[in-house]
Amino acid sequence: MTESVFVLDIGTTSLKAGLVSADGEVVFIFRKKYFAPLSLDVSKYWLSAFDLAFQKAKKFSKKRDIQIKAICISGNGPTIVDCRGKTLLWNGSNIPLELKEKARLELEKINLQLKEKNIHSLFLPRILLFKEVYKNSFDKSSYIFSGPEYLIYKLTGQALTILPEKRYQAAYWDSALLDSLGLAAEKFPAFVNTASLSGYFKGLPVFAGGPDFIVALIGTNTLSPGKICDRSGSSEGINLCVNKEIHRDGLRTLPSLIPDLWNCSVLIPNSSKLRENERLGKLKEGLKLLQELSKENDFEFPLKMKVTGGQTKNSFWMQKKATFLEMELEVCDCPDSELLGDACIAWMGLGKYQSLGQAAQVISKVERSYKAQTEKNLLKD
């Protein structure tokens, strides 16, 4: 009998799930689109999608003599959910049309208020918006969660907030900050770290994954200085791991999951809606910025970049991208790096690996690479 972990990621429009072995083999993968992704109660579709994915995974594992050892959950953030399931998606796309103008004005006021207080939290603007737009729901809710935390709560009964690493608290909150904003601290469950045991579901240990962009960095093994990845979906972000905190216009710098390391990101919002050449142009600008920063800070800029997301299934696009960016691009066995990252977390939680870095070295396998070609060679292909 072989062993695997059941991993899942809550996306904006669908849930992705899979079974992954300790050596990184993705033996089963499943995607379920939500019936109403823009519903205020979209979280109920997360639950039904989870149930379907889990049943299919169990059926598959029984046929193949596979033992499921654990579960790990990640999801998009900062999506906000109350304990009854009312949901404010990270991008606000499920706010009803009649409330959109009110929400826009409220968010402007909130952002100004937080700027005046020098507060840089990623979550508090959405939490305060949820409170203003859905005040009755907010007041009646015992807890406020992000997406993966809500699903963990429904599966295990454990209320928690996943803090990727202690330096991330500035991107979240503390009790004094909540009090200063009129937010009741008891609504916000205690922090646990990524990879913490978060309860049990049907006898299986459930491990805390966390925000999808954090878990994706694990899944691409972007966990040591000089490692870089391009994570693409409806938006796109180039992420470079460095050993120094750097701040500059056009750059978002956040702590790495690895102590004393940092993740520098160049973000391209709504990149999927851009024309191909415009999208490639913005990616090249982002790489140029990171190359300049590397030179200024005596970092060795990598020659290869891992790429994730649905775009990796299009070999023509990947080759065009590699040639335009003049950089070798690598694709993992599984295009959904969040699932690989969840697998790293679960197997480390089970004691198979001593660290996330050690797990990622094994599980984040490169399946194929694309090297830059001359225009003449590209036309031949």
Side-chain angles (χ1 to χ4, degrees):
M1 177 177 285
T2 58
E3 297 177 339
S4 70
V5 290
F6 180 65
V7 293
L8 63 146
D9 182 74
I10 305 167
T12 306
T13 59
S14 65
L15 179 140
K16 298 171 288 189
L19 292 172
V20 186
S21 70
D23 64 358
E25 183 184 1
V26 182
V27 296
F28 168 83
I29 197 161
F30 175 78
R31 183 187 297 266
K32 173 63 177 175
K33 290 188 175 182
Y34 311 131
F35 176 71
L38 299 184
S39 166
L40 294 178
D41 301 310
V42 65
S43 59
K44 72 181 180 183
Y45 299 111
W46 302 346
L47 289 165
S48 61
F50 169 85
D51 287 339
L52 181 60
F54 189 67
Q55 292 303 318
K56 286 185 175 293
K58 284 205 306 181
K59 186 176 180 180
F60 178 88
S61 61
K62 186 176 181 180
K63 286 183 179 179
R64 301 295 180 92
D65 197 26
I66 297 169
Q67 183 182 14
I68 301 176
K69 300 289 291 182
I71 297 171
C72 186
I73 301 169
S74 60
N76 57 40
T79 285
I80 305 300
V81 193
D82 70 15
C83 63
R84 298 182 181 184
K86 178 157 278 189
T87 307
L88 175 63
L89 291 177
W90 64 277
N91 58 6
S93 58
N94 68 328
I95 295 175
L97 186 60
E98 65 271 18
L99 293 178
K100 281 195 180 293
E101 182 60 16
K102 176 185 178 182
R104 184 186 69 80
L105 294 173
E106 288 292 347
L107 189 57
E108 285 182 1
K109 287 167 55 178
I110 289 165
N111 285 332
L112 181 60
Q113 176 191 13
L114 296 180
K115 184 177 181 181
E116 289 174 348
K117 292 177 177 286
N118 198 32
I119 296 171
H120 303 288
S121 170
L122 296 174
F123 283 85
L124 286 176
R126 272 75 173 186
I127 291 169
L128 290 168
L129 181 61
F130 188 103
K131 179 185 177 184
E132 291 300 322
V133 178
Y134 308 123
K135 189 176 188 311
N136 190 48
S137 294
F138 184 91
D139 290 343
K140 289 182 177 180
S141 182
S142 301
Y143 301 113
I144 299 297
F145 301 105
S146 74
E149 296 156 1
Y150 173 76
L151 190 52
I152 289 172
Y153 174 68
K154 297 298 288 187
L155 297 179
T156 70
Q158 298 295 315
L160 50 84
T161 302
I162 303 169
L163 189 69
E165 201 261 358
K166 63 182 181 180
R167 291 173 294 166
Y168 266 87
Q169 188 153 357
Y172 284 67
W173 56 77
D174 57 32
S175 57
L177 182 54
L178 293 173
D179 184 62
S180 73
L181 295 170
L183 297 170
E186 60 268 21
K187 288 184 181 291
F188 299 86
F191 290 123
V192 302
N193 293 329
T194 289
S196 294
L197 177 62
S198 304
Y200 292 84
F201 175 74
K202 297 188 181 297
L204 295 172
V206 178
F207 292 101
D212 52 3
F213 77 95
I214 289 288
V215 176
L217 295 180
I218 303 171
T220 54
N221 194 20
T222 311
L223 299 176
S224 57
K227 293 290 184 67
I228 190 170
C229 72
D230 172 20
R231 180 172 175 265
S232 179
S234 54
S235 297
E236 197 155 356
I238 305 174
N239 302 274
L240 175 66
C241 185
V242 298
N243 58 12
K244 178 181 177 181
E245 185 177 7
I246 302 171
H247 293 283
R248 183 164 165 177
D249 288 345
L251 194 70
R252 186 178 76 173
T253 300
L254 291 171
S256 168
L257 269 175
I258 309 303
D260 301 322
L261 298 182
W262 300 83
N263 185 66
C264 294
S265 300
V266 177
L267 305 178
I268 306 169
N270 301 314
S271 59
S272 61
K273 296 181 180 179
L274 301 177
R275 295 176 181 174
E276 280 191 1
N277 287 341
E278 186 179 2
R279 184 175 185 175
L280 289 171
K282 288 186 177 295
L283 283 170
K284 195 159 191 174
E285 288 174 10
L287 277 176
K288 183 179 179 181
L289 172 59
L290 292 173
Q291 287 169 334
E292 290 173 355
L293 291 174
S294 296
K295 186 175 181 180
E296 291 170 8
N297 292 277
D298 295 322
F299 300 148
E300 185 174 343
F301 194 77
L303 300 176
K304 301 177 181 181
M305 178 167 67
K306 282 186 178 174
V307 184
T308 73
Q311 62 171 317
T312 59
K313 298 174 185 178
N314 185 334
S315 58
F316 178 78
W317 166 251
M318 289 298 298
Q319 184 58 71
K320 180 177 180 179
K321 188 171 182 174
T323 298
F324 189 90
L325 298 179
E326 300 178 281
M327 190 173 195
E328 185 174 349
L329 304 181
E330 298 180 326
V331 177
C332 290
D333 282 352
C334 176
D336 300 308
S337 56
E338 298 87 355
L339 299 184
L340 296 179
D342 285 331
C344 292
I345 291 167
W347 283 114
M348 189 190 83
L350 289 168
K352 176 68 176 178
Y353 299 104
Q354 297 302 307
S355 68
L356 290 172
Q358 185 188 45
Q361 287 281 1
V362 176
I363 291 174
S364 182
K365 297 177 179 177
V366 174
E367 178 190 46
R368 186 174 181 184
S369 64
Y370 298 85
K371 295 182 178 180
Q373 296 182 354
T374 64
E375 186 175 351
K376 181 178 180 181
N377 286 337
L378 186 61
L379 288 173
K380 284 182 179 179
D381 289 348

